[in-house]
Amino acid sequence: MAIMKSLLTQLRRPSNARPATSGAAGGKLDIVSRLPFELHIFILSLLGPNDVDAGLSACRCWRSIWLSDEIWPKLARRWYPDLEEYIRKAAVDDQDMGEMFRQALHKIQRRMSGKFASALHHELDLESEQFFTMSKGVPVQEGGIHSYDDIDGLEVGPVARLPRFMMYDNGRIAWWPEAYPLPYLAVVDDLRTRKRRTYMFPDHQGDKRGYKTAMSAKLLLMGRGRTLHAWHLDLDQHASVEVPEEFVRCNTEGETVLLVTKNANLFAWKFGQELQYIDTTECYENGPVGRAHPYDFISGQYLSSHNVGSLLVRSGVLLDFIISPIEDNVFFVMTYTPAPHKELRIDEIRKGQVVETYRLDRSKFANVMPDPVDFTNLRWEKVDSYGGYCLMQAVSRTPGTTGEPACVPHSSILVSVCFNIYTKAFTVPHYHHQNCFQNQSVSQIRNNRIAASAIDGLRGLVLTLRPCGSTSDPYDNPSPTPFYTAVTNGRECLLRRQRVPSGSDGWEADFALDANLLFSTSSLDSMSNGTLSIPGVRRLVGDDDFLLLVVHQSYIVWSFGDEIPGNAHAAEGGRSRWRKLIR
């Protein structure tokens, strides 16, 4: 392995040379490009995903060969078994599936490397518009807010009362400036455009209870009673719909919304279109709907209402729903029957009909966790960009004998139940690191890794950890763990990456991030002495582009894609000064 990597390093084209292509007039191919196809397959068998990602960016000839229909599916199956099926379903017309694989691989590797492009530490307050700029695209009569002076009872500045983070999706952060006195007022900050949109529930009449919320990459939802209001985040348009009876939960994906009524009836609605009833009698028995346990699997971690599944009161069955991101009129109904049955069932509905049922019973957990442990919540969170969802989690201990050689009997573990909606496969990854489930810790699963943060550890870091049983691949075990902090870069409040000595090689993590917002040498020294600046952690969310750690009324976000944009006016001013100098 090391010899082959050394050989590839010597054969790699100099950075100032243009990559050759076979069709270029007079162009010369490098040695690797001239190898037989079978040797390319042999070389790729020795490389990890980060090496292949680098090679795809280094040479067009390598890219042409490695992304051929004979090779890219094999790479996808080897590292990300569900990615191939997603690409084949998501590709439209003559879209290049090899290029889709390359882009997905690149985004995954950026996140898993920990090498963020920029970071931002920000407060949840309305005085922070020196970074975000208020957008007035939504008309006032449709719930848009153009001036905070028009909002009765709103306090701005130090006297603001308990702002609350609510949701994250696709680079957008939704939060409520005063969640309790003004539950009908929402703010959405866009990290990519630096636009801030503020919305108020139309004709709220001062009512402070019963609001249901959700957000997707396209829509922000606020509903109450039988009325649902939706704002399109790309088009700055508003639409609303009336449901035949009071609804208690709403889910959204793209422009599609599912609404669950108080009697467990299900309705589907697409932005700007008619409401449709979905027959679920084959999936569960209708009846009164309540809320599942509002606490997460870790004591003290309160879940936002939009992220808690429902409970069928009569039977005690947990209930939730998933909307397919790429297929119209495709939904998944999830039910979990508690002890003594302990069965997870997923019904796939296409165009109003149940077409398939998938089950996971308690025997699947026998090698991971003892039988008495049960799940108290059914709620979905995306665990990758290609159809993976985490449905349930529980803190447990391994049994006396385990099926995994790396599992220590009677050790503490965090067990996750995941499902891919394209391959229809269940997985049950489990994690041993204590940071995953300490009191007041938070975690997020992404790309088969868990990002975990704990405030009562030695450093309060964010670590990305591998699940138990996945350390057999040589490329999957970096040592020592890269440790990154963030320092000011002179661009307003944006921060840049800096690698610092970790002082520990025992984490066995992909990377570690300084989660204490400590950016000076003196702060790093205090961190090594065990001093922590975070009084309490509440949420850790994100995707392949961003990782967001919420700490009460502030957050830090790391961008693994493009840099978070700087001030447009400042950038234009710099260009103007440069033009004057060169005239």
Side-chain angles (χ1 to χ4, degrees):
M1 176 75 176
I3 296 174
M4 181 59 67
K5 285 188 176 182
S6 176
L7 174 62
L8 286 175
T9 302
Q10 296 176 39
L11 294 175
R12 184 164 294 181
R13 181 176 305 280
S15 59
N16 61 345
R18 294 175 59 86
T21 61
S22 57
K28 294 183 179 180
L29 296 177
D30 61 88
I31 296 177
V32 174
S33 298
R34 296 200 300 267
L35 291 175
F37 186 80
E38 292 76 11
L39 281 181
H40 278 277
I41 294 179
F42 173 73
I43 291 172
L44 290 170
S45 70
L46 300 176
L47 301 181
N50 56 328
D51 303 314
V52 172
D53 178 44
L56 290 172
S57 300
C59 178
R60 292 179 187 172
C61 285
W62 299 4
R63 181 183 299 189
S64 176
I65 298 170
W66 296 0
L67 296 182
S68 64
D69 291 340
E70 292 81 7
I71 290 184
W72 79 260
K74 294 181 175 63
L75 297 176
R77 288 180 218 131
R78 178 184 172 195
W79 300 318
Y80 311 108
D82 303 318
L83 181 56
E84 179 191 4
E85 187 68 20
Y86 164 76
I87 289 175
R88 295 194 184 281
K89 286 182 177 292
V92 294
D93 300 328
D94 295 328
Q95 194 170 2
D96 187 341
M97 289 187 285
E99 178 61 18
M100 291 175 66
F101 168 74
R102 186 195 69 81
Q103 293 177 5
L105 177 66
H106 185 60
K107 293 183 72 170
I108 293 170
Q109 293 309 304
R110 286 186 312 190
R111 166 73 187 258
M112 294 178 67
S113 71
K115 296 179 180 179
F116 58 91
S118 61
L120 170 69
H121 176 218
H122 210 261
E123 300 291 331
L124 295 176
D125 67 72
L126 296 176
E127 286 190 325
S128 60
E129 288 195 350
Q130 67 272 16
F131 188 82
F132 295 103
T133 302
M134 176 182 282
S135 171
K136 301 180 181 180
V138 179
V140 174
Q141 60 270 24
E142 295 182 356
I145 297 296
H146 296 180
S147 172
Y148 301 133
D149 296 335
D150 299 335
I151 305 173
D152 294 334
L154 177 65
E155 302 289 348
V156 179
V159 294
R161 295 165 287 188
L162 295 178
R164 181 182 177 187
F165 167 83
M166 291 292 284
M167 297 166 283
Y168 168 87
D169 200 296
N170 193 36
R172 294 186 175 108
I173 300 168
W175 59 283
W176 272 227
E178 300 196 14
Y180 301 102
L182 301 176
Y184 41 78
L185 180 66
V187 175
V188 178
D189 292 333
D190 194 322
L191 293 168
R192 291 188 175 92
T193 65
R194 295 182 53 165
K195 286 184 178 180
R196 167 169 289 174
R197 298 175 176 88
T198 307
Y199 306 92
M200 182 177 289
F201 191 90
D203 195 26
H204 56 79
Q205 299 180 351
D207 292 328
K208 298 183 178 181
R209 293 185 178 181
Y211 291 93
K212 313 302 176 186
T213 61
M215 187 171 71
S216 69
K218 299 289 186 181
L219 301 180
L220 172 70
L221 306 181
M222 276 199 288
R224 184 179 185 275
R226 295 172 47 204
T227 304
L228 177 74
H229 290 280
W231 291 271
H232 201 294
L233 298 172
D234 290 339
L235 305 177
D236 278 338
Q237 294 179 359
H238 167 267
S240 62
V241 66
E242 290 289 324
V243 186
E245 62 183 6
E246 180 182 352
F247 66 91
V248 296
R249 179 157 167 74
C250 54
N251 277 351
T252 179
E253 178 69 53
E255 295 183 346
T256 302
V257 179
L258 286 182
L259 298 117
V260 187
T261 71
K262 62 181 181 181
N263 291 312
N265 290 314
L266 183 66
F267 293 88
W269 177 66
K270 196 161 185 176
F271 185 82
Q273 298 183 12
E274 297 294 324
L275 191 72
Q276 294 182 341
Y277 171 73
I278 305 296
D279 185 2
T280 57
T281 53
E282 294 184 47
C283 307
Y284 57 85
E285 182 180 352
N286 286 19
V289 174
R291 242 178 87 185
H293 199 287
Y295 287 88
D296 207 342
F297 49 89
I298 301 169
S299 175
Q301 292 304 301
Y302 187 79
L303 294 173
S304 302
S305 59
H306 75 280
N307 207 27
V308 178
S310 301
L311 172 72
L312 297 174
V313 176
R314 291 173 183 167
S315 60
V317 170
L318 301 177
L319 175 68
D320 210 350
F321 305 86
I322 294 175
I323 305 169
S324 174
I326 63 174
E327 297 178 284
D328 288 335
N329 298 315
V330 177
F331 316 108
F332 296 84
V333 180
M334 304 178 295
T335 54
Y336 178 73
T337 305
H341 301 288
K342 294 186 179 181
E343 180 186 71
L344 174 63
R345 167 175 165 166
I346 299 179
D347 293 290
E348 181 179 357
I349 298 179
R350 289 180 175 268
K351 298 181 179 180
Q353 302 294 321
V354 176
V355 297
E356 195 64 68
T357 299
Y358 314 96
R359 288 182 172 87
L360 183 72
D361 59 39
R362 61 182 180 180
S363 65
K364 302 295 184 181
F365 310 115
N367 291 332
V368 178
M369 56 193 294
D371 188 65
V373 174
D374 205 355
F375 296 93
T376 58
N377 275 318
L378 182 61
R379 60 183 182 88
W380 61 263
E381 286 187 312
K382 293 181 180 179
V383 296
D384 53 49
S385 59
Y386 43 92
Y389 292 80
C390 177
L391 309 182
M392 304 186 300
Q393 290 181 309
V395 171
S396 181
R397 300 184 70 84
T398 56
T401 58
T402 67
E404 291 281 0
C407 281
V408 179
H410 306 296
S411 61
S412 297
I413 56 171
L414 174 64
V415 178
S416 302
V417 178
C418 300
F419 180 75
N420 188 280
I421 63 173
Y422 303 123
T423 62
K424 316 301 189 295
F426 287 98
T427 55
V428 188
H430 56 285
Y431 305 85
H432 285 270
H433 201 285
Q434 194 69 23
N435 273 3
C436 298
F437 41 88
Q438 290 178 350
N439 185 38
Q440 295 190 0
S441 66
V442 288
S443 61
Q444 184 221 17
I445 296 177
R446 192 73 186 179
N447 299 317
N448 202 35
R449 301 296 200 264
I450 187 167
S453 175
I455 65 165
D456 45 5
L458 293 177
R459 293 190 171 185
L461 303 177
V462 173
L463 300 173
T464 59
L465 308 163
R466 296 175 292 279
C468 180
S470 69
T471 57
S472 58
D473 296 316
Y475 56 80
D476 213 19
N477 190 22
S479 182
T481 299
F483 176 46
Y484 301 109
T485 186
V487 295
T488 58
N489 66 358
R491 298 173 55 210
E492 307 169 279
C493 48
L494 293 177
L495 308 165
R496 61 179 174 84
R497 182 182 74 249
Q498 183 176 26
R499 183 165 179 171
V500 295
S502 65
S504 173
D505 294 339
W507 289 324
E508 295 185 355
D510 289 324
F511 63 87
L513 295 174
D514 174 14
N516 286 300
L517 315 181
L518 306 171
F519 308 121
S520 65
T521 303
S522 59
S523 296
L524 288 171
D525 291 340
S526 67
M527 182 180 64
S528 64
N529 294 327
T531 304
L532 296 174
S533 65
I534 297 181
V537 174
R538 288 297 175 264
R539 294 295 297 278
L540 189 65
V541 295
D543 47 33
D544 289 337
D545 292 320
F546 296 98
L547 179 63
L548 180 73
L549 175 66
V550 181
V551 183
H552 291 311
Q553 285 81 49
S554 66
Y555 63 82
I556 182 170
V557 57
W558 296 273
S559 172
F560 295 97
D562 298 329
E563 287 192 15
I564 300 172
N567 187 295
H569 298 294
E572 180 60 32
R575 286 192 291 268
S576 298
R577 288 190 294 271
W578 176 247
R579 292 191 193 103
K580 291 179 181 178
L581 288 173
I582 63 176
R583 282 175 182 170

